[in-house]
């Protein structure tokens, strides 16, 4: 009787394996027929991205559907970008959808560009295409591509301070990321340093936060001036003096050019090298 049970179990096992093999062999093959066709954006698209508009729509990517032979299934479309002329050797996936269009916000496009190694605050040439995929193991199809131009903005660190004033490249303005980021030294929690082109004979001020609007954060409670630091006993570089302009801003008296500005709140020093 035991032998009969063993034979029966073995037979059922062989039957199950056979059925699974048949399922794999009989599984319908999905073959690519027509690749998606990218319609927009085209080569004439050019955009300057700014953080104060990050929730707005930068562009809507539109394409014609891809077609496949075989059992009907959902087609996934991935928007890919790459540096122009690289033949998508290292594409960046912006987003994936099952629709045939996708509205990209300024923040979404900027994030993809920055993550893809495009240069911030400079115009870049960007190749864009659509990748279509279905199921598992089916061959991907790629659309035609266009090359557009985009200028991504810098994504600042939350811990950074900011420099604004006529002595800085952006002047007395917060418009279009005109302010200069003044970040912490890596690994430090209270030492700020930046390489910046300072203009001789002009003033600037340090701001503690930034709401990334054109109005900026002008409040006195949000900034430090020359007398704030001198009053705390900081040793201040001789090329920085009190501007005596009614706001006691810093005035830079050294030669115009790239300088390394450092505020060390541990050693209580402000240096210009």
């Amino acid at each position: 009787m035991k032998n009969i049970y063993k034979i029966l179990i073995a037979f059922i096992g062989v039957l199950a394996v056979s059925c699974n093999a048949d399922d794999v062999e009989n599984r319908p093959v999905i073959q690519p027929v027509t690749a998606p066709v990218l319609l927009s954006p085209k080569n004439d698209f050019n955009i300057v991205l700014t953080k104060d508009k990050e929730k707005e729509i930068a562009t809507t990517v539109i394409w014609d559907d891809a077609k496949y032979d075989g059992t009907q299934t959902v087609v996934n479309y991935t928007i890919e970008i790459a540096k122009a002329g690289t033949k998508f050797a290292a594409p960046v996936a912006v987003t994936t959808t099952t629709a045939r269009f996708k509205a990209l916000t300024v923040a979404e496009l900027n994030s993809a560009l920055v993550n893809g190694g495009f240069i911030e605050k400079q115009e870049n040439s960007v190749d864009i295409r659509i990748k279509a995929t279905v199921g598992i193991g089916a061959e991907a199809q790629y659309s035609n591509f266009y090359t557009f131009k985009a200028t991504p903005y810098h994504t600042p660190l939350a811990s950074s301070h900011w420099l604004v004033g006529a002595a800085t490249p952006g002047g007395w303005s917060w418009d279009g990321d005109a302010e200069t980021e003044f970040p912490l030294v890596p690994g430090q929690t209270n030492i700020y340093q930046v390489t910046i082109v300072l203009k001789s004979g002009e003033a600037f001020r340090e701001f503690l936060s930034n709401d990334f609007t054109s109005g900026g954060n002008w409040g006195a409670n949000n900034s430090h001036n020359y007398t704030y630091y001198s009053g705390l006993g900081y040793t201040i570089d001789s090329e920085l003096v009190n501007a005596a302009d009614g706001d006691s801003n810093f005035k830079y008296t050294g030669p115009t050019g790239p300088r390394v500005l450092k505020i060390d709140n541990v050693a209580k020093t402000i240096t210009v090298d």
Side-chain angles (χ1 to χ4, degrees), residues 129-149:
R129 72 179 181 185
I130 305 300
K131 175 183 178 181
T133 56
V134 294
I136 299 174
E139 181 181 345
Q141 296 193 89
Y142 297 93
S143 73
N144 56 309
F145 74 91
Y146 287 113
T147 303
F148 68 91
K149 297 186 184 301

Side-chain angles (χ1 to χ4, degrees), residues 152-163:
Y153 57 83
H154 174 63
T155 303
L157 300 172
S159 58
S160 291
H161 287 183
W162 304 88
L163 302 175

Side-chain angles (χ1 to χ4, degrees), residues 15-67:
L15 182 62
V17 171
S18 176
C19 290
N20 288 337
D22 288 343
D23 287 344
V24 172
E25 291 176 0
N26 295 328
R27 186 177 297 165
V29 177
I30 300 174
Q31 296 289 348
V33 175
T34 305
V37 177
L38 178 62
L39 303 176
S40 178
K42 295 186 176 180
N43 295 334
D44 58 353
F45 180 62
N46 191 329
I47 187 169
V48 177
L49 304 169
T50 58
K51 186 169 179 60
D52 60 338
K53 296 181 179 180
E54 63 179 0
K55 295 182 180 180
E56 297 182 11
I57 300 301
T59 187
T60 299
V61 185
I62 305 172
W63 58 91
D64 281 341
D65 289 334
K67 292 182 174 58

Side-chain angles (χ1 to χ4, degrees), residues 114-137:
V114 172
N115 291 337
F118 291 89
I119 302 174
E120 299 170 342
K121 295 188 176 183
Q122 289 189 28
E123 185 178 86
N124 296 263
S125 293
V126 186
D127 287 345
I128 183 171
R129 72 179 181 185
I130 305 300
K131 175 183 178 181
T133 56
V134 294
I136 299 174

Side-chain angles (χ1 to χ4, degrees), residues 48-99:
V48 177
L49 304 169
T50 58
K51 186 169 179 60
D52 60 338
K53 296 181 179 180
E54 63 179 0
K55 295 182 180 180
E56 297 182 11
I57 300 301
T59 187
T60 299
V61 185
I62 305 172
W63 58 91
D64 281 341
D65 289 334
K67 292 182 174 58
Y68 288 85
D69 267 348
T71 302
Q72 293 297 313
T73 187
V74 175
V75 180
N76 293 303
Y77 297 100
T78 300
I79 301 171
E80 294 185 337
I81 60 172
K83 293 182 179 179
T86 62
K87 298 182 179 179
F88 290 90
V92 175
V94 181
T95 188
T96 298
T97 180
T98 56

